[in-house]
């Protein structure tokens, strides 16, 4: 007898096979997208990472701080746990951690967004209040236009109701010669010294990724600049561009319109081909509206990443209440569509991260917003714990499935570091090849998170140090290979290199946020970050364990480790 679930699986397989390719991720599951979530399976739901009460979410949209309230919108399917029926879900918070879910803010209601209200951004107009620019999908062939929505009542701090003025919309359409089906995701606007507002819209010309620039004097009538602000060959569609200034001094964030000598700019794009995000740091020449990445900042998929794991379609905003810039990023599931339908939900947002320019000027750093620390409960510590080759020690006394942990490891010598083979360009391949099981010289050492007691399952987050011709190469991995006994999962060996000089200090630090089906890690003060989605079968709830380990010949010392049980954030 065929159960309902089996029927669903057959439907999914058929619809996957028959889907001969809209955009890589805008996959359509006609049979599933309106299968409503009857119940929500809590086993792997997060305790403090944002997710709505049920159903599918993807990109964070229009984050902002307004009248004392943080607003987060997100691509949301109100009818089911796979992508489809896309509206702007809306949640509000006073602290970026505890959230209240409101009614969707934008949903298809007009000819210019009949087939979807896709991603976009908020801009707060001085003296007037917020406006939203978003992508409307006008037809089944995914022709996209840019639209404007304004609050029905800008005095309402919750901004519950939004209107889309007919006489203005759409505000931007693809010009002749542009491809309207790859034309989306308007940025927050910034105001130039010449009194004109500017926005970017992501696009593609043949295989060249493009960030189109538009200008407006009144925010209503927008004209495309002759040249895009930037483009790069062989990078494919640029989704969700983000463009903002960072300060050369200190960690403070800047308003998007800030210019001057003490400022660099960041351009981030989400590459639809790889489904990862990349950024460059560079110079913005405003009178020519040109952005030139620094020589040390590469365009495309050899470039820098916010996160070397599961993190996409991110968007930043300036928070004037604490003078910081914060980025939100979406982390999709690593399980199957069938699992998602069964569990009634899919997609989370990463912990909001403060972002600033590293003192080297060559990369960004990120750190969980300080408000997260308020969820820290019971604390345990470990000091000067020696880890010989092959040893592991349990961090006991906290809820290991819902925890925050900060640790500093030290070692006295780098002599035993393995030689680095220059052909290991790809950190992920190297992590997959060596993992935690191939013994090394200095490392692998780090954490075993979401581990079952006898290590049938675990998600290791660790470092491994190599000696290259003129310096050391530090690999950071978050390896999902052994994370679950369930075979039907995507289990990548996510990894990145960390740019750090070990010369004097011989120390490496790590912070990991562990949250049932997420391990979100920040290496060396947020220089290299990796978010993994994992679904243990044994290491769940109170059966999850946490260890520190060393599988290299060089002895490692846990200088200091602090770990906290994390309370559950309020979400209703
Ligand atoms: C607008 O919102 C404010 C603040 O919530 C409220 O006092 C006012 O009555 C609202 N105006 C309308 C027309 O609803
Ligand atoms: C426009 O882009 C879509 C999506 O990449 C592609 O399938 C289509 O062929 C493009 N159309 C033209 C005219 O280049
Ligand atoms: C450490 O290496 C040994 C030998 O390869 C292996 O059996 C063991 O599983 C490794 N430890 C971890 C935590 O992977
Ligand atoms: C998240 O899911 C995995 C497994 O299905 C895909 O391989 C990724 O491409 C996907 N990521 C995004 C950003 O869509």
């Amino acid at each position: 007898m065929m159960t309902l679930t089996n029927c669903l699986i057959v439907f999914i397989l058929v619809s996957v096979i028959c889907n001969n390719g809209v955009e890589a991720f805008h996959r359509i599951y006609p049979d599933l997208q309106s299968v409503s979530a009857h119940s929500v399976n809590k086993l792997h739901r997060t305790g403090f990472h944002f997710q709505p009460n049920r159903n599918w979410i993807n990109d964070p949209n229009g984050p902002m701080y307004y009248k004392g309230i943080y607003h987060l919108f997100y691509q949301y399917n109100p009818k089911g746990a796979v992508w489809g029926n896309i509206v702007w879900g809306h949640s509000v918070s006073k602290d970026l951690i505890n959230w209240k879910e409101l009614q969707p803010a934008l949903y298809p209601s007009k000819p210019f967004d009949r087939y979807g209200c896709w991603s976009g951004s908020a801009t707060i107009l001085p003296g007037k209040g917020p406006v939203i620019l978003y992508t409307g999908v006008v037809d089944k062939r995914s022709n996209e236009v840019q639209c404007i929505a304004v609050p029905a009542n800008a005095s309402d701090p919750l901004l519950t109701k939004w209107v889309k003025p007919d006489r203005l919309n759409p505000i931007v359409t693809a010009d002749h010669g542009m491809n309207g089906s790859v034309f989306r995701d308007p940025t927050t606007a910034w105001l130039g010294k010449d009194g004109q507002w500017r926005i970017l819209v992501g696009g593609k010309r043949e295989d060249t990724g493009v960030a189109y620039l538009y200008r407006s004097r009144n925010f209503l009538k927008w004209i495309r600049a002759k040249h895009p602000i930037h483009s790069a060959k062989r990078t494919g569609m640029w989704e969700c561009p983000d463009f903002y200034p960072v300060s050369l001094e200190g960690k403070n964030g800047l308003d998007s319109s800030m210019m001057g000598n003490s400022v660099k700019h960041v351009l981030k794009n989400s590459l639809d081909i790889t489904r990862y995000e990349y950024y460059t740091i560079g110079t913005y020449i405003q009178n020519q509206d040109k952005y030139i990445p620094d020589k040390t900042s590469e365009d495309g998929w050899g470039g820098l990443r916010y996160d070397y794991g599961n993190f996409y379609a991110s968007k930043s905003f300036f928070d004037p209440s604490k003078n910081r810039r914060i980025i939100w990023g979406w982390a999709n599931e690593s399980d199957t569509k069938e699992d998602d339908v069964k569990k009634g939900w899919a997609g989370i947002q990463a912990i909001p991260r403060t972002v600033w320019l590293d003192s080297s000027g060559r990369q960004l750093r990120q750190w969980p917003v300080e408000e997260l620390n308020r969820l820290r409960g019971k604390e345990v510590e470990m000091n000067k714990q020696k880890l010989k080759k092959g040893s592991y020690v349990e961090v006991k006394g906290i809820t290991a499935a819902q925890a925050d942990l900060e640790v500093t490891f030290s070692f006295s010598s780098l002599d035993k570091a393995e030689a680095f083979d220059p052909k290991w360009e790809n950190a992920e391949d190297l992590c997959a090849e060596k993992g935690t099981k191939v013994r090394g010289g200095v490392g692998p050492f780090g954490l075993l998170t979401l581990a079952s007691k006898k290590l049938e399952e675990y998600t290791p987050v660790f470092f491994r140090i190599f000696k290259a011709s003129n310096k050391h190469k530090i690999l950071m991995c978050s390896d999902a290979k052994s994370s679950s006994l369930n075979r039907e999962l995507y289990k990548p060996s996510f990894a990145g290199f960390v740019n750090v000089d070990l010369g004097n200090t011989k120390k490496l630090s790590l912070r990991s946020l562990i949250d049932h089906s997420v391990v979100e890690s920040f290496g060396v003060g947020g220089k290299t970050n990796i978010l993994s989605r994992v679904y243990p079968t044994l290491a769940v709830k109170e059966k999850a364990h946490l260890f520190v380990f060393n599988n290299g010949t060089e002895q490692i010392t846990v200088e200091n480790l602090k770990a906290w049980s994390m309370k559950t954030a309020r979400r209703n």
Side-chain angles (χ1 to χ4, degrees), residues 222-236:
W222 293 84
I223 311 272
R224 182 163 63 87
K226 194 159 165 221
H227 300 287
I229 197 164
H230 191 56
S231 63
K233 291 205 168 76
R234 290 179 296 279
T235 53

Side-chain angles (χ1 to χ4, degrees), residues 425-462:
E425 274 168 30
N426 184 320
E428 209 170 307
D429 292 347
L430 182 54
C431 177
E433 186 180 321
K434 304 253 176 195
T436 52
K437 294 206 165 127
V438 178
R439 289 216 159 123
V442 187
F445 63 86
L447 310 173
L448 305 177
T449 70
L450 295 174
S452 57
K453 197 160 186 190
K454 294 188 181 146
L455 298 186
E456 298 93 336
E457 293 180 330
Y458 60 98
T459 301
V461 184
F462 60 100

Side-chain angles (χ1 to χ4, degrees), residues 402-419:
Q402 191 172 312
D404 182 1
L405 174 152
E406 292 192 53
V407 58
T408 302
F409 299 99
S410 72
F411 33 90
S412 50
S413 157
L414 287 164
D415 293 348
K416 292 182 188 138
E418 302 156 78

Side-chain angles (χ1 to χ4, degrees), residues 388-514:
K388 294 214 169 66
K389 178 181 85 175
S391 65
Y392 50 93
V393 176
E394 182 161 9
V395 178
K396 286 191 179 144
I398 55 159
T399 54
Q402 191 172 312
D404 182 1
L405 174 152
E406 292 192 53
V407 58
T408 302
F409 299 99
S410 72
F411 33 90
S412 50
S413 157
L414 287 164
D415 293 348
K416 292 182 188 138
E418 302 156 78
F420 185 78
D421 184 337
K423 79 168 197 292
W424 290 332
E425 274 168 30
N426 184 320
E428 209 170 307
D429 292 347
L430 182 54
C431 177
E433 186 180 321
K434 304 253 176 195
T436 52
K437 294 206 165 127
V438 178
R439 289 216 159 123
V442 187
F445 63 86
L447 310 173
L448 305 177
T449 70
L450 295 174
S452 57
K453 197 160 186 190
K454 294 188 181 146
L455 298 186
E456 298 93 336
E457 293 180 330
Y458 60 98
T459 301
V461 184
F462 60 100
F463 296 109
R464 190 165 188 134
I465 304 175
F466 297 90
K467 208 178 316 181
S469 56
N470 54 354
K471 57 169 184 180
H472 289 95
K473 284 281 246 184
I474 294 115
L475 179 74
M476 175 174 157
C477 299
S478 178
D479 190 356
K481 210 184 304 159
S482 310
S483 58
S484 175
L485 295 177
N486 177 354
R487 287 162 194 273
E488 310 282 299
L489 299 170
Y490 172 56
K491 296 177 183 171
S493 299
F494 284 136
F497 293 106
V498 195
N499 194 348
V500 56
D501 182 5
L502 291 173
N504 302 323
T505 55
K506 302 209 174 44
K507 282 184 183 165
L508 286 172
S509 65
L510 178 66
R511 180 170 181 187
S512 283
L513 307 174
I514 303 158

Side-chain angles (χ1 to χ4, degrees), residues 52-121:
N53 291 324
R54 58 181 59 206
N55 296 330
W56 163 276
I57 62 167
N58 53 294
D59 311 4
N61 292 153
M64 67 172 132
Y65 178 79
Y66 183 64
K67 290 190 188 289
I69 292 183
Y70 293 100
H71 291 259
L72 178 66
F73 305 89
Y74 34 89
Q75 295 282 284
Y76 178 60
N77 179 355
K79 295 184 178 159
V82 304
W83 186 83
N85 310 306
I86 290 296
V87 306
W88 277 43
H90 184 192
S91 291
V92 289
S93 169
K94 287 201 167 156
D95 59 9
L96 292 163
I97 302 298
N98 298 291
W99 292 90
K100 185 175 161 57
E101 193 173 338
L102 304 178
Q103 286 304 307
L106 302 176
Y107 43 87
S109 64
K110 301 278 183 177
F112 50 79
D113 64 13
R114 175 166 297 154
Y115 291 88
C117 295
W118 286 9
S119 289
S121 307

Side-chain angles (χ1 to χ4, degrees), residues 292-352:
I292 304 167
D294 291 350
K295 289 211 171 63
T296 50
S297 238
E298 190 183 326
D299 267 316
W301 52 76
L304 292 162
R305 286 170 53 184
Y306 282 164
D307 193 296
Y308 292 83
N310 191 328
F311 191 89
Y312 195 73
S314 71
K315 194 169 289 298
S316 74
F317 74 106
F318 175 62
D319 173 8
S321 74
K322 293 199 171 174
N323 280 316
R324 57 186 173 177
R325 184 164 286 271
I326 293 172
I327 55 176
W328 281 101
W330 162 54
N332 69 344
E333 301 299 306
S334 287
D335 60 4
T336 63
K337 294 286 161 238
E338 304 90 270
D339 292 333
D340 294 343
V341 170
K342 261 193 254 168
K343 70 195 207 285
W345 59 273
I348 62 164
Q349 304 296 347
I351 292 296

Side-chain angles (χ1 to χ4, degrees), residues 83-382:
W83 186 83
N85 310 306
I86 290 296
V87 306
W88 277 43
H90 184 192
S91 291
V92 289
S93 169
K94 287 201 167 156
D95 59 9
L96 292 163
I97 302 298
N98 298 291
W99 292 90
K100 185 175 161 57
E101 193 173 338
L102 304 178
Q103 286 304 307
L106 302 176
Y107 43 87
S109 64
K110 301 278 183 177
F112 50 79
D113 64 13
R114 175 166 297 154
Y115 291 88
C117 295
W118 286 9
S119 289
S121 307
T123 304
I124 297 180
L125 299 180
K128 291 196 178 131
V131 295
I132 282 173
L133 300 181
Y134 69 100
T135 296
V137 182
V138 296
D139 60 26
K140 281 192 170 149
R141 298 193 341 270
S142 279
N143 270 303
E144 295 150 14
V145 297
Q146 316 316 320
C147 311
I148 190 168
V150 296
N153 179 1
S155 312
D156 166 19
L158 295 180
L159 300 170
T160 40
K161 199 159 176 259
W162 291 78
V163 292
K164 311 163 183 171
D166 283 316
R167 66 193 161 83
L168 302 177
N169 277 311
I171 55 154
V172 169
T173 56
D175 292 318
H176 214 68
M178 280 164 62
N179 186 339
S181 69
V182 278
F183 180 57
R184 53 181 174 264
D185 310 335
T187 62
T188 294
W190 70 97
L191 184 61
K193 290 216 167 72
D194 57 3
Q196 297 200 66
W197 287 99
R198 290 156 166 85
I199 54 166
L200 302 181
V201 181
K204 178 167 90 107
R205 260 189 331 232
E206 289 166 354
D207 67 351
T208 298
V210 181
Y212 293 108
L213 179 88
Y214 287 80
R215 296 193 197 96
S216 174
R217 290 210 171 270
N218 57 8
F219 224 88
L220 309 175
K221 187 167 186 283
W222 293 84
I223 311 272
R224 182 163 63 87
K226 194 159 165 221
H227 300 287
I229 197 164
H230 191 56
S231 63
K233 291 205 168 76
R234 290 179 296 279
T235 53
M237 174 62 188
W238 283 6
E239 296 194 296
C240 304
D242 198 6
F243 185 63
Y244 55 88
V246 283
S247 173
L248 283 169
E249 300 278 331
K251 291 184 172 184
N252 277 357
L254 301 172
D255 180 87
S256 298
S257 302
M258 188 71 82
M259 289 289 297
N261 292 334
S262 55
V263 157
K264 299 284 291 184
H265 273 77
V266 174
L267 177 64
K268 182 279 300 184
N269 294 299
S270 310
L271 298 196
D272 198 21
I273 297 181
T274 62
R275 307 297 289 163
Y276 296 124
E277 304 199 298
Y278 306 81
Y279 71 87
T280 54
I281 294 164
T283 303
Y284 171 41
I285 307 168
Q286 196 171 79
N287 57 14
Q288 297 169 35
D289 271 327
K290 219 158 117 184
Y291 168 76
I292 304 167
D294 291 350
K295 289 211 171 63
T296 50
S297 238
E298 190 183 326
D299 267 316
W301 52 76
L304 292 162
R305 286 170 53 184
Y306 282 164
D307 193 296
Y308 292 83
N310 191 328
F311 191 89
Y312 195 73
S314 71
K315 194 169 289 298
S316 74
F317 74 106
F318 175 62
D319 173 8
S321 74
K322 293 199 171 174
N323 280 316
R324 57 186 173 177
R325 184 164 286 271
I326 293 172
I327 55 176
W328 281 101
W330 162 54
N332 69 344
E333 301 299 306
S334 287
D335 60 4
T336 63
K337 294 286 161 238
E338 304 90 270
D339 292 333
D340 294 343
V341 170
K342 261 193 254 168
K343 70 195 207 285
W345 59 273
I348 62 164
Q349 304 296 347
I351 292 296
R353 305 171 177 183
T354 307
V355 62
W356 70 97
L357 185 64
D358 181 58
S359 57
S360 68
R362 291 180 172 208
Q363 70 162 109
L364 297 173
R365 306 253 306 263
Q366 296 160 64
W367 202 246
V369 293
E370 60 190 18
E371 286 87 340
L372 183 67
N373 298 2
R374 295 190 205 149
L375 293 181
R376 286 173 171 176
K378 186 178 177 202
E379 175 179 335
V380 297
E381 258 195 86
M382 192 183 272

